[in-house]
Amino acid sequence: MTRHLHAKHELQWGTHLKNQALAEAPPAPSTAAASASASRGMLPPAEQQTEDVPPTPPPPPPSTSVSTISHSSVQLSISQTLERKRKFPPSHPRALGLNASISKLLAFEMLSFRLVDTDSFKQLMAMAVPQYVVPSRHYFSKTAVPSLHMQVSDKIKCALRNAICGKVHLTTDTWTSKHGQGRYISLTAHWMNVVAAGPPADSSLAHVLPPPRIAGHHSLPPVASSSYSASSSSSASTSSSSQPHTFTTNFSTARGKRQQAILKLICLGDRPHTAQELWRGIEQQTDEWFLPVGLKPGLVVCDNGRNLVAALGLAGLTHIPCLAHVLNLVVQRFIHHYPNMSELLHKVRAVCARFRRSHPAAARLSALQRNFGLPAHRLICDVPTRWNSTLHMLERLCEQQQAIVEFQLQHARVSRTAEQHHFTTNDWASMRDLCALLRCFEYSTNMASGDDTVISVTIPLLCLLEKTLRAMMLEEVAQVEEEEEDEGSFLTLSGQSVRIGSEGGLFKQQRTGSQVASQGTVLEDEEDEEEEVEGDEDDASSQRGGSPGPSLVRGWGDTVDDDDTPPTEDSLSLPMGSLAHMSEYMLQCLRNDSRVAHVLTCADYWVATLLDPRYKDNVPTLIPELERDRKMREYKRTLIEALLRAFPHVTGEQVEGEGRGVARGRQRSCVTASSSEGRVSMAEMWKSFVSTPQLSAPTPDTERVSRRQHFTNMVEQYVCTPLHILTDGSAPFNYWVSKLSTWPELACYALEVLSCPAASVLSERVFSTAGGVITDKRSRLSTANVDKLTFIKMNQAWIPQDLSLPCAE
């Protein structure tokens, strides 16, 4: 037994012998007694020590049992040892969970499938989970990733089925791969869901409520979810004249959630990039995603490529220009055509490139930065196709101005090239002015490219940008302004007058005496026209022919000409080389852009801004005072016409509304209140667009009204309803969801419009992700896998929590 314990249980046996030796040793004197004896100068006898200090109890007798000899760790049995070394079967829950985690790792981090076959990865998994057998790369590329793609697609389709009004807006763009895989088309979807109020903020379908069922809507989705009740299905299938809308869900505590997802990354391959091919690719995907769930494509936001715009025209889709692209074109036109701007930027790029490629110059610059206490930043070289990189290059150069000037003074006589690239005082002033000018457009572009930015921000953003440019222009021309000012206005262009303290500068007017004298007659004619429109529905329909009124200048689908010409020196009135001159030139570039003019003359954009509760009360302040009443009536009439087209079968009945006299009185008071607002500062611009409670809500009464009068009263009640300050990005959606029971048709239409983005930035991000998937080491990746990996990467929020993948063979 001793030999066995020494050979098989050496550690436990050694511990036992040590404990036994300690037990047999004589007890040592206590510390207290020893110190007391030392203080008396002698040691006490053993008998006296045992009386003063209690003896240490003897240790328990050692046991010969092997189980008590062992430490706290219990030896595993043979069956347990074999179970630890046994590998997981393919259907084991732990193995399936690891397969799903590795699949998401490959898709999210854009890693190669060959990673799972490397020895390093297998050693890592063997150390972490010895029972797990890593499947081959073919399992992940042919089974796991396609299954993950399918489950994400199913979840997106379930959310699309409950889209408000059955309309889904799209963004699209084109991209050419540098690895020879051809041209790609991205297609993204944007829609609105109604979700139950509560702490969950994810896209789980358990919290998505069925959309409102309004009888007579021309694009209601079919009942395809079990969450609908039987009464809801019956009310949606029959258009009853006694019940215009039937809701089975209480929307008072619900909230609106704006959803977005990547639908497809279409590869054209070797096919020509014509409008017909682009149209076929887009139409195939819209039919695949929308037809099974009864949806219709709404507005399509994209850039101004001719073949892409022509493809949307062939597909019968409405094109909305991307606001970020429009601002980019304005800035590019300014940079390329402003006098002496190309020469200045060429000099700046040469200086920055020298410090980037020359190590001695960079080392000398670093030493000068330490001497002057400047940040140790390297200079930036811009990308000619990205104007914001030019702004960052100029900002970094102005930051290091003191070090750059000292370096150029020390090396001015070294070579002729260095002397040519020497910056003068005017150059530094021009660079600072250009930075101040471009920062306005960078702020506007970032705001337009936000994830929560919708189309209603387009009009306020352009007005903010225009007011900022005018403020820059007026800062340095105060004396000229006082001389040319005439009754609170000044001439900026030939024959064009803009009030200094008024709003709506982008509405340029040729003011003549006859126009001012006839202004009252025009307003009276408009009031008479409105009375005729609000009179009899049949007469109005026969006069209009079911189309918007003659005051509607442009619509969503109107084409825009690309005949943008840069401003000439004859059209500018300020001296060149100053910030005021740059601001005036940039303002002319903004005003001369045909796409900006299209936005400002399109009544649908103004209706979208009017439907946003944050900007509703301040829409009149964006319009010139002389045209304010007429324009506001025009935009309201456009909204009413849109409701008539969207809900053609809603009949007149007993509804809560008001007579025409009450509605007209409210409209005049609303215009008067908005006209009396003062001029706001640039810093408080966006705060001023937030609606504030100013008016009292009208008292509704019950009467028999026509269909047009029903929508007219609905619009008037919304316009004159006081609102609290809404600053949250989702506040407009929650507001309209809470009004689904009060103004069902108007709330549905508002949610449909406000779900449209202002820019096609999401499509651009798809291509950035695809560029990370297709690399030099993965150039042979199939286009199908490129689409699936990009789809999973961009739709991470839509991955189910209960993800389940097939077993590995």
Side-chain angles (χ1 to χ4, degrees):
M1 176 61 71
T2 303
R3 289 195 303 269
H4 171 75
L5 293 176
H6 182 72
K8 300 297 184 181
H9 309 281
E10 181 178 0
L11 179 62
Q12 292 84 355
W13 178 247
T15 305
H16 168 67
L17 294 178
K18 185 177 180 180
N19 293 335
Q20 188 176 7
L22 293 175
E24 294 176 356
S30 64
T31 305
S35 60
S37 301
S39 64
R40 293 193 301 267
M42 63 177 182
L43 293 176
E47 294 80 2
Q48 184 178 358
Q49 180 182 358
T50 55
E51 293 179 1
D52 297 338
V53 181
T56 303
S63 175
T64 58
S65 175
V66 179
S67 60
T68 59
I69 295 176
S70 63
H71 263 287
S72 58
S73 60
V74 181
Q75 182 180 4
L76 298 177
S77 63
I78 297 178
S79 60
Q80 292 176 344
T81 304
L82 295 177
E83 185 67 24
R84 277 196 170 188
K85 294 184 178 180
R86 185 177 301 169
K87 299 296 182 180
F88 289 149
S91 59
H92 194 276
R94 188 81 182 277
L96 295 178
L98 291 172
N99 292 342
S101 299
I102 295 176
S103 301
K104 292 188 288 186
L105 173 68
L106 297 176
F108 293 169
E109 304 302 328
M110 295 178 285
L111 301 175
S112 173
F113 289 120
R114 293 183 179 274
L115 175 67
V116 298
D117 288 344
T118 59
D119 295 336
S120 301
F121 185 81
K122 291 182 178 180
Q123 292 174 4
L124 173 65
M125 297 306 299
M127 181 63 67
V129 188
Q131 301 90 343
Y132 176 62
V133 179
V134 181
S136 65
R137 69 177 187 273
H138 301 290
Y139 164 76
F140 291 101
S141 62
K142 298 180 180 179
T143 304
V145 170
S147 177
L148 180 58
H149 175 271
M150 183 177 299
Q151 295 185 50
V152 174
S153 301
D154 293 340
K155 187 172 181 180
I156 293 175
K157 289 180 180 179
C158 291
L160 284 171
R161 187 177 294 112
N162 293 324
I164 290 292
C165 293
K167 286 290 188 67
V168 178
H169 305 293
L170 303 173
T171 66
T172 183
D173 205 346
T174 58
W175 172 68
T176 302
S177 172
K178 66 178 182 180
H179 296 285
Q181 293 186 338
R183 198 177 189 90
Y184 284 89
I185 309 173
S186 63
L187 197 64
T188 68
H190 305 259
W191 70 98
M192 190 74 66
N193 281 140
V194 180
V195 298
D202 56 358
S203 301
S204 177
L205 295 180
H207 305 284
V208 176
L209 300 178
R213 313 295 295 179
I214 301 177
H217 198 293
H218 69 282
S219 60
L220 280 176
V223 179
S225 175
S226 58
S227 57
Y228 284 107
S229 62
S231 61
S232 175
S233 302
S234 60
S235 63
S237 58
T238 59
S239 177
S240 175
S241 61
S242 60
Q243 187 74 9
H245 49 84
T246 302
F247 295 158
T248 58
T249 305
N250 183 17
F251 295 103
S252 59
T253 59
R255 57 186 178 88
K257 184 174 179 61
R258 183 170 171 265
Q259 308 277 26
Q260 60 184 17
I262 313 301
L263 299 184
K264 187 70 174 178
L265 186 62
I266 311 168
C267 181
L268 295 179
D270 297 333
R271 290 178 290 175
H273 310 151
T274 60
Q276 289 76 11
E277 292 294 338
L278 298 178
W279 164 55
R280 293 189 184 95
I282 295 175
E283 187 179 38
Q284 179 183 359
Q285 294 305 316
T286 54
D287 293 345
E288 178 181 348
W289 283 90
F290 297 159
L291 286 183
V293 293
L295 297 175
K296 294 183 178 180
L299 307 177
V300 182
V301 183
C302 64
D303 58 11
N304 304 285
R306 293 185 180 273
N307 54 350
L308 194 55
V309 174
L312 297 180
L314 293 175
L317 302 176
T318 304
H319 168 242
I320 297 296
C322 173
L323 181 58
H325 283 84
V326 171
L327 297 178
N328 174 69
L329 293 176
V330 173
V331 177
Q332 292 288 356
R333 190 176 302 111
F334 170 83
I335 291 177
H336 289 116
H337 297 284
Y338 187 78
N340 301 327
M341 182 59 62
S342 300
E343 291 78 3
L344 176 61
L345 294 180
H346 175 73
K347 187 186 300 185
V348 171
R349 294 186 181 107
V351 171
C352 294
R354 179 185 181 183
F355 288 101
R356 296 287 295 186
R357 68 172 181 264
S358 175
H359 178 71
R364 181 56 183 163
L365 178 63
S366 179
L368 292 174
Q369 289 173 346
R370 291 192 298 269
N371 294 338
F372 292 112
L374 298 175
H377 295 158
R378 299 183 65 187
L379 298 184
I380 302 174
C381 294
D382 69 335
V383 180
T385 57
R386 300 177 62 89
W387 64 265
N388 57 342
S389 64
T390 304
L391 171 61
H392 299 159
M393 177 183 65
L394 294 173
E395 287 179 336
R396 181 62 55 84
L397 197 65
C398 293
E399 176 191 82
Q400 305 293 331
Q401 176 182 355
Q402 194 173 3
I404 297 296
V405 170
E406 182 64 24
F407 180 87
Q408 289 184 341
L409 290 177
Q410 295 177 3
H411 299 80
R413 301 297 181 181
V414 175
S415 63
R416 185 181 298 272
T417 304
E419 187 176 357
Q420 291 177 353
H421 295 161
H422 182 79
F423 292 123
T424 63
T425 305
N426 293 333
D427 292 339
W428 288 111
S430 298
M431 283 188 283
R432 287 191 295 268
D433 293 342
L434 183 59
C435 289
L437 189 63
L438 294 182
R439 286 192 196 103
C440 304
F441 283 83
E442 185 186 34
Y443 175 83
S444 303
T445 303
N446 293 337
M447 181 171 291
S449 305
D451 293 334
D452 298 333
T453 303
V454 294
I455 199 171
S456 62
V457 81
T458 304
I459 295 294
L461 189 61
L462 289 177
C463 292
L464 170 65
L465 187 59
E466 187 268 344
K467 288 187 176 182
T468 304
L469 294 177
R470 279 199 299 137
M472 290 182 177
M473 184 176 62
L474 295 178
E475 284 180 357
E476 299 186 9
V477 292
Q479 297 179 357
V480 179
E481 173 187 339
E482 292 177 358
E483 294 176 0
E484 296 182 352
E485 184 177 2
D486 182 15
E487 297 181 355
S489 64
F490 70 99
L491 297 176
T492 56
L493 303 176
S494 56
Q496 297 179 355
S497 176
V498 180
R499 291 187 58 85
I500 300 174
S502 64
E503 304 85 357
L506 283 179
F507 283 90
K508 305 189 295 285
Q509 276 190 299
Q510 297 286 344
R511 296 185 60 190
T512 60
S514 58
Q515 287 178 331
V516 176
S518 61
Q519 187 66 29
T521 307
V522 173
L523 294 178
E524 293 177 359
D525 296 340
E526 290 290 339
E527 293 180 0
D528 296 338
E529 180 184 354
E530 184 175 321
E531 292 178 357
E532 295 177 0
V533 170
E534 294 178 351
D536 184 70
E537 179 185 357
D538 298 334
D539 296 341
S541 301
S542 61
Q543 292 175 3
R544 295 178 176 268
S547 60
S551 59
L552 178 58
V553 180
R554 292 178 183 266
W556 289 122
D558 291 343
T559 58
V560 182
D561 299 330
D562 295 337
D563 54 348
D564 303 322
T565 57
T568 60
E569 289 297 328
D570 298 337
S571 63
L572 303 177
S573 58
L574 300 176
M576 190 177 64
S578 61
L579 178 59
H581 186 270
M582 288 185 180
S583 303
E584 186 181 13
Y585 195 95
M586 181 70 83
L587 185 59
Q588 290 301 314
C589 291
L590 183 66
R591 287 174 172 175
N592 294 344
D593 190 89
S594 59
R595 301 164 191 85
V596 175
H598 166 73
V599 171
L600 295 174
T601 56
C602 179
D604 292 327
Y605 280 97
W606 289 89
V607 168
T609 306
L610 186 64
L611 289 174
D612 196 323
R614 298 172 296 180
Y615 316 135
K616 177 202 56 158
D617 289 345
N618 294 285
V619 170
T621 63
L622 306 177
I623 309 172
E625 186 176 358
L626 295 178
E627 293 187 351
R628 188 168 295 167
D629 294 344
R630 181 178 62 85
K631 288 289 184 180
M632 286 302 299
R633 286 195 297 269
E634 177 183 328
Y635 300 149
K636 293 177 185 178
R637 190 160 56 244
T638 303
L639 178 57
I640 295 171
E641 294 291 341
L643 293 174
L644 290 173
R645 292 191 300 269
F647 305 94
H649 302 295
V650 175
T651 58
E653 46 206 296
Q654 293 289 116
V655 296
E656 285 189 352
E658 294 140 350
R660 277 164 290 181
V662 179
R664 181 171 300 280
R666 283 200 327 275
Q667 181 181 359
R668 287 180 178 175
S669 62
C670 192
V671 171
T672 303
S674 61
S675 302
S676 61
E677 294 183 356
R679 183 174 180 265
V680 296
S681 62
M682 184 178 64
E684 301 295 330
M685 179 63 64
W686 280 108
K687 292 183 181 180
S688 68
F689 285 123
V690 180
S691 299
T692 55
Q694 297 175 352
L695 304 175
S696 58
T699 304
D701 56 352
T702 304
E703 59 174 309
R704 184 78 178 184
V705 296
S706 63
R707 188 166 67 98
R708 180 180 295 274
Q709 188 61 41
H710 168 60
F711 290 139
T712 301
N713 295 340
M714 192 178 296
V715 171
E716 291 293 344
Q717 290 177 23
Y718 162 67
V719 171
C720 296
T721 298
L723 300 174
H724 298 287
I725 297 178
L726 305 175
T727 57
D728 187 12
S730 60
F733 313 141
N734 300 335
Y735 171 82
W736 283 114
V737 169
S738 64
K739 296 298 181 180
L740 281 172
S741 301
T742 307
W743 308 317
E745 296 87 0
L746 181 61
C748 283
Y749 183 76
L751 289 172
E752 175 187 325
V753 172
L754 294 180
S755 61
C756 179
S760 59
V761 180
L762 189 59
S763 294
E764 299 284 350
R765 294 174 183 169
V766 173
F767 296 143
S768 300
T769 302
V773 172
I774 311 173
T775 60
D776 294 335
K777 295 183 178 180
R778 306 182 71 183
S779 58
R780 298 179 60 185
L781 195 65
S782 64
T783 57
N785 283 332
V786 171
D787 170 43
K788 292 181 175 62
L789 291 173
T790 306
F791 180 88
I792 297 172
K793 169 69 175 178
M794 296 297 296
N795 293 323
Q796 296 185 31
W798 293 98
I799 294 181
Q801 297 181 356
D802 54 345
L803 180 63
S804 178
L805 299 181
C807 302
E809 297 181 359

